[in-house]
Amino acid sequence: MNFVFISPNFPEAYRWFCIRLKENGVNVLGIGDAAFDDLHPDLKSALTEYYKVDSLENYDQMVRAMGYFTGRYGKMDWVESNNEYWLELDAALRTDFNITTGLKSHEIGKFKSKSAMKSFYKKAGIPTARCAPVTTLKKGVAFAKKVGYPVVVKPDNGVGAVATWRLESDADMEAFFQDVPETPYLMEEYVSGHVTTYDGICNSKGEVLFAASHITRNSIMDMVNEGVPTYYYVDKEVPADVEAAGKATLQAFGAASRFFHLEFFRLTEAKDGLGDVGNIVALEVNMRPAGGYTPDMLNFSQSADVYQIWADMVAFDELRHTYDGPHSYCVYAGRRDENSYVRSLAELEEQCGEHAKLFTRMPDALAGTMGNQVAIACYDSMEDVERFIKDAFELEK
């Protein structure tokens, strides 16, 4: 089996996808814009060959790289980046090289367009916030009058909460329309809730091989725009209603042979048309792992190896390993360099003792959302999780 991994060096932890593929007997080939000498030694060992391009944005160079690999090793069986930014590139390469193990260009829209997702959620029987395309100020004000302020404006095709804002009034609406982004934008009614996910891996039949759930209490939009504390935690177990919604969503979208990251709101305020407090409302679908160090957090929390599970799905289309270790809450705190905390990162790690799992730096490209300083720990109780969060973000007076 020939597998082409796009940008296998970023994030750095993605080298484990390649390592596990090689251990499963897969011929792993890499295409990236980093120099080979700059790759992690373990990644170098996992790759049969690496093709450097000047830019992953240069499609002609990507096609030449694929052509080179095809001429040298025969037909390519897989192309994947597991990265939201490159999903359309992955699909284009699969289309042009007739690779059938993933989404092709005509299929990618439903997984990239937030407005297109709405009909599939309806098919799954999961409510979604009302929305409208951003067109004119008059229509924007009319939409806000219909659903009530605040409203959220965000790219129809975007990643997470990047370039997403909350408009609180007609004045905010007017200010937004004075400099409307050129890319298609969507206006959506505001939903009060905690983001609750369904993360995992499914095989070619859409059967879930592994799943977990993480919860974010602070608004992700405010984390990005306002710099509020960035933290979330992986739950010990997947709540039954989240599992039901997640599986219905996968079926409605026809997801197959994918790592998935599905986002829902658990309502903290009742909302007409959406439900009561505690109900599940659809947010968005992502056909790739959750960002940052979340894959590692899934491993810490569930005593698992998602890199191995994914590689088993690719090579064998089934789960080949058993993971029956203890489950715990795994909590992430992303601290920002501009803040002065009572505890240094090293002091926080020492305080956590055996509960500390990963204390490091976040790559600059992800730090705007995730924070600069990474602190990850595991605990058996939510009381300990709350104490960790308090200690991690305590500021000097």
Side-chain angles (χ1 to χ4, degrees):
M1 177 185 291
N2 291 320
F3 190 107
V4 178
F5 206 109
I6 307 298
S7 189
N9 58 302
F10 186 85
E12 189 176 277
Y14 275 23
R15 71 185 187 278
W16 288 106
F17 287 122
C18 298
I19 292 168
R20 296 294 186 245
L21 284 174
K22 182 183 179 181
E23 292 172 347
N24 278 356
V26 176
N27 186 43
V28 188
L29 308 164
I31 303 176
D33 55 8
F36 180 75
D37 289 343
D38 292 337
L39 303 184
H40 192 286
D42 290 345
L43 177 57
K44 291 180 182 179
S45 298
L47 297 175
T48 301
E49 191 168 357
Y50 178 75
Y51 191 110
K52 182 187 179 302
V53 295
D54 296 328
S55 170
L56 294 167
E57 304 275 6
N58 188 321
Y59 192 68
D60 288 342
Q61 290 189 13
M62 298 300 294
V63 168
R64 284 198 292 272
M66 289 290 294
Y68 168 79
F69 283 150
T70 300
R72 186 169 174 81
Y73 300 100
K75 189 179 186 307
M76 297 297 105
D77 300 293
W78 282 77
V79 170
E80 186 60 72
S81 66
N82 276 338
N83 191 311
E84 180 80 20
Y85 191 81
W86 303 119
L87 289 185
E88 289 172 305
L89 170 63
D90 299 343
L93 292 173
R94 292 190 200 104
T95 301
D96 287 343
F97 286 86
N98 194 29
I99 296 169
T100 59
T101 50
L103 299 167
K104 293 191 176 182
S105 292
H106 70 281
E107 301 171 299
I108 200 70
K110 64 184 178 181
F111 295 111
K112 293 289 290 181
S113 168
K114 294 179 175 67
S115 58
M117 293 176 187
K118 302 285 184 178
S119 62
F120 292 94
Y121 281 128
K122 183 177 181 180
K123 181 180 178 181
I126 304 170
T128 61
R130 289 169 289 180
C131 70
V134 169
T135 51
T136 66
L137 173 59
K138 182 178 179 180
K139 290 184 177 180
V141 171
F143 177 77
K145 184 176 181 180
K146 177 182 178 182
V147 303
Y149 282 110
V151 297
V152 175
V153 288
K154 56 188 177 182
D156 190 26
N157 183 346
V159 181
V162 175
T164 298
W165 296 282
R166 181 171 51 236
L167 307 182
E168 304 278 357
S169 63
D170 285 352
D172 286 350
M173 185 76 70
E174 291 173 6
F176 173 76
F177 271 93
Q178 286 177 3
D179 189 20
V180 178
E182 294 182 3
T183 57
Y185 254 65
L186 193 67
M187 190 169 295
E188 197 169 66
E189 68 177 315
Y190 182 78
V191 176
S192 295
H194 295 154
V195 174
T196 303
T197 73
Y198 188 61
D199 295 277
I201 299 157
C202 62
N203 65 12
S204 64
K205 299 176 183 178
E207 299 167 339
V208 176
L209 304 180
F210 167 86
S213 176
H214 70 263
I215 294 93
T216 306
R217 292 181 187 169
N218 280 350
S219 163
I220 298 174
M221 180 170 50
D222 291 342
M223 291 178 187
V224 176
N225 296 330
E226 307 296 334
V228 303
T230 299
Y231 70 89
Y232 59 98
Y233 63 90
V234 180
D235 209 341
K236 281 187 176 182
E237 308 294 339
V238 180
D241 55 353
V242 174
E243 180 178 34
K247 287 184 175 180
T249 300
L250 292 173
Q251 183 176 7
F253 278 82
S257 302
R258 300 296 306 173
F259 210 124
F260 56 82
H261 169 54
L262 313 182
E263 297 181 352
F264 303 92
F265 281 121
R266 186 177 294 283
L267 294 181
T268 54
E269 294 180 11
K271 185 87 171 182
D272 289 344
L274 296 181
D276 296 325
V277 173
N279 284 12
I280 292 295
V281 174
L283 179 52
E284 65 179 67
V285 162
N286 301 280
M287 287 293 114
R288 43 82 180 172
Y293 291 99
T294 307
D296 302 286
M297 291 175 62
L298 301 179
N299 290 343
F300 298 145
S301 170
Q302 307 293 301
S303 296
D305 184 341
V306 296
Y307 305 106
Q308 182 67 64
I309 296 169
W310 178 84
D312 286 353
M313 177 274 293
V314 170
F316 313 118
D317 202 30
E318 64 183 17
L319 187 64
R320 287 286 180 98
H321 293 75
T322 301
Y323 301 97
D324 53 8
H327 291 193
S328 62
Y329 298 105
C330 185
V331 57
Y332 173 97
R335 311 198 317 173
R336 301 187 184 278
D337 286 345
E338 61 265 28
N339 294 331
S340 295
Y341 299 99
V342 169
R343 298 161 186 83
S344 69
L345 195 64
E347 289 170 340
L348 182 63
E349 180 177 11
E350 183 177 1
Q351 179 177 307
C352 290
E354 64 181 6
H355 299 284
K357 293 299 180 182
L358 181 62
F359 283 66
T360 186
R361 298 282 299 177
M362 182 64 68
D364 290 344
L366 304 176
T369 301
M370 305 294 293
N372 309 99
Q373 305 169 26
V374 174
I376 298 174
C378 284
Y379 295 98
D380 289 330
S381 73
M382 278 305 299
E383 290 80 8
D384 288 333
V385 169
E386 299 288 357
R387 188 178 302 109
F388 168 83
I389 292 169
K390 178 179 178 295
D391 291 343
F393 292 106
E394 187 176 3
L395 297 173
E396 291 182 344
K397 295 181 181 179

